Amino acid sequence: MSIKESELILNPDGSIYHLNLKPEHIADTIIFVGDQDRVSKVTSHFDSIEFETQKREFKTQTGYYKGIRITVMSTGIGPDNIDIVLNELDALVNIDFKTRKIKESLTSLNIIRIGTSGSLQQDIDVDSFLISTHALDMNGMLQAYKTGSIRTPELEEAFTQQTDWHKDKASPIIIKGSAELEKLFEAGHIHKGLTATAGGFYGPQGRVLRLAIQDGKLNDKMDAFNHNGIRITNLEMETSAIYGLSSLLGHKAISLNAIIANRAIGTFSKDSNTVISNLITYALNKIIDKTD
């Protein structure tokens, strides 16, 4: 059955609605960054750029790094933006825009998030790197989808109990990242852990300016969470949406975090730009390792 025009929205030039992209514009390996300006920081390492476009906060450049075709895209901030980006990327490779039907043969993308994050643990210093082995969705976006196949009930139950999770909040969902990509990007100096994804920057992450928050001790509870050695290492705003939607759609995803703040001890990086630049270089070279 064909997908209705109101559900799969295309621009007059045939590109997909928000991203302004056509299928030929993207590679099978895609790097996500939050900030539009960070796209060019990644592609400044490229040998060449074959295509670029921008619509709203979604900036895309596709080119070649040491002979490997890679797309770099800014997603903006938050799980709601990831919902747009991942659904539209999947449509680009897995839906025929002419017939508006799902293709018989599906394509799996490799999605690598290069982002910033704050540590929740004293022993994970600012200026370090962290791989998200799992992602904790506590913002509710994934509740719109049938997620039973991707969840880890034992971890979710442990989190709910240990944090005394409020019944009026969205039920937490925990998803594992790609084991294959985790193995590719791991190294002795890189931390690993469960990354919590909030739906906002202030109250949802326990920050208080003028508004009181529902659970002022939630960050302390997350700091203390431990289930069979798995602990919550950091807090940000995209990873659970990336892992959840990628898993449901059949794509591989990994989140690489530049730790620029330590919430447990209240410190912030004095040179976050260098930390992010170093993570970009590390990630690009690991992508080349995968294709060798």
Side-chain angles (χ1 to χ4, degrees), residues 30-34 75-76 78-83 85-86 89 110-115 135 137 139 141-142 150 175-178 181 197 236-257:
I30 301 176
I31 294 174
F32 283 177
V33 295
T75 63
D80 51 341
N81 274 17
I82 298 299
D83 183 58
V85 170
L86 260 166
L89 281 176
N110 292 310
I111 296 167
I112 300 124
R113 173 188 179 267
I114 299 177
D137 187 278
N139 55 77
M141 192 280 287
L142 289 175
I150 65 169
I175 319 102
K176 199 174 186 318
S178 164
L181 293 181
T197 300
E236 48 74 85
M237 295 178 63
E238 289 85 34
T239 296
S240 72
I242 294 170
Y243 281 14
L245 293 176
S246 294
S247 295
L248 290 171
L249 291 165
H251 306 298
K252 299 171 185 173
I254 201 71
S255 180
L256 309 178
N257 303 269

Side-chain angles (χ1 to χ4, degrees), residues 11-286:
N11 296 313
D13 66 353
S15 63
I16 198 145
Y17 185 57
H18 293 94
L19 301 184
N20 212 34
L21 296 170
K22 297 179 181 179
E24 63 267 24
H25 293 154
I26 63 169
D28 287 346
T29 296
I30 301 176
I31 294 174
F32 283 177
V33 295
D35 185 355
Q36 303 163 36
D37 293 337
R38 202 174 297 153
V39 172
S40 58
K41 289 182 180 179
V42 178
T43 59
S44 66
H45 297 274
F46 282 18
D47 308 315
S48 61
I49 297 173
E50 68 176 42
F51 173 81
E52 58 184 311
T53 190
Q54 181 169 358
K55 186 177 180 181
R56 304 183 186 182
E57 61 265 62
F58 308 115
K59 180 176 180 178
T60 303
Q61 292 184 333
T62 296
Y64 288 84
Y65 178 71
K66 297 185 178 180
I68 304 303
R69 191 168 185 253
I70 301 172
T71 293
V72 185
M73 176 181 296
S74 63
T75 63
I77 298 173
D80 51 341
N81 274 17
I82 298 299
D83 183 58
I84 292 172
V85 170
L86 260 166
N87 275 289
E88 293 196 1
L89 281 176
D90 180 76
L92 286 166
V93 295
N94 289 322
I95 296 175
D96 186 318
F97 283 6
K98 292 182 179 178
T99 64
R100 293 182 165 270
K101 293 182 178 180
I102 298 171
K103 295 178 180 179
E104 291 185 7
S105 179
L106 300 179
T107 296
S108 178
L109 300 170
N110 292 310
I111 296 167
I112 300 124
R113 173 188 179 267
I114 299 177
T116 57
S117 185
S119 167
L120 293 178
Q121 302 294 338
Q122 292 189 19
D123 62 320
I124 300 178
D125 295 330
V126 295
D127 301 339
S128 61
F129 300 163
L130 184 142
I131 294 175
S132 303
T133 59
H134 300 73
L136 164 64
D137 187 278
M138 55 182 193
N139 55 77
M141 192 280 287
L142 289 175
Q143 298 289 352
Y145 300 95
K146 294 182 178 179
T147 58
S149 63
I150 65 169
R151 300 178 69 157
T152 52
E154 183 181 335
L155 263 178
E156 292 169 13
E157 183 178 355
F159 174 80
T160 300
Q161 291 180 352
Q162 290 186 35
T163 60
D164 191 24
W165 192 252
H166 197 279
K167 62 180 179 60
D168 291 338
K169 291 183 176 180
S171 178
I173 297 174
I174 297 178
I175 319 102
K176 199 174 186 318
S178 164
E180 179 183 329
L181 293 181
E182 178 186 332
K183 185 176 181 180
L184 173 67
F185 288 100
E186 67 185 2
H189 66 286
I190 296 181
H191 299 283
K192 288 185 179 184
L194 193 164
T195 295
T197 300
F201 185 77
Y202 288 96
Q205 293 191 35
R207 291 183 172 92
V208 177
L209 299 184
R210 288 203 317 119
L211 293 176
I213 58 177
Q214 184 270 327
D215 187 351
K217 296 182 178 179
L218 180 58
N219 279 9
D220 293 335
K221 295 174 185 176
M222 291 197 295
D223 293 351
F225 174 81
N226 192 310
H227 182 70
N228 295 333
I230 296 175
R231 59 180 184 158
I232 301 172
T233 48
N234 60 311
L235 182 60
E236 48 74 85
M237 295 178 63
E238 289 85 34
T239 296
S240 72
I242 294 170
Y243 281 14
L245 293 176
S246 294
S247 295
L248 290 171
L249 291 165
H251 306 298
K252 299 171 185 173
I254 201 71
S255 180
L256 309 178
N257 303 269
I259 301 299
I260 61 171
N262 187 303
R263 300 290 300 281
I265 57 179
T267 56
F268 194 86
S269 174
K270 292 180 171 56
D271 191 3
S272 59
N273 287 331
T274 296
V275 183
I276 296 165
S277 295
N278 290 342
L279 182 57
I280 289 168
T281 302
Y282 178 83
L284 286 172
N285 288 329
K286 284 294 184 179

Side-chain angles (χ1 to χ4, degrees), residues 4-15:
K4 296 177 182 178
E5 291 183 8
S6 59
E7 312 307 295
L8 174 63
I9 305 171
L10 302 179
N11 296 313
D13 66 353
S15 63

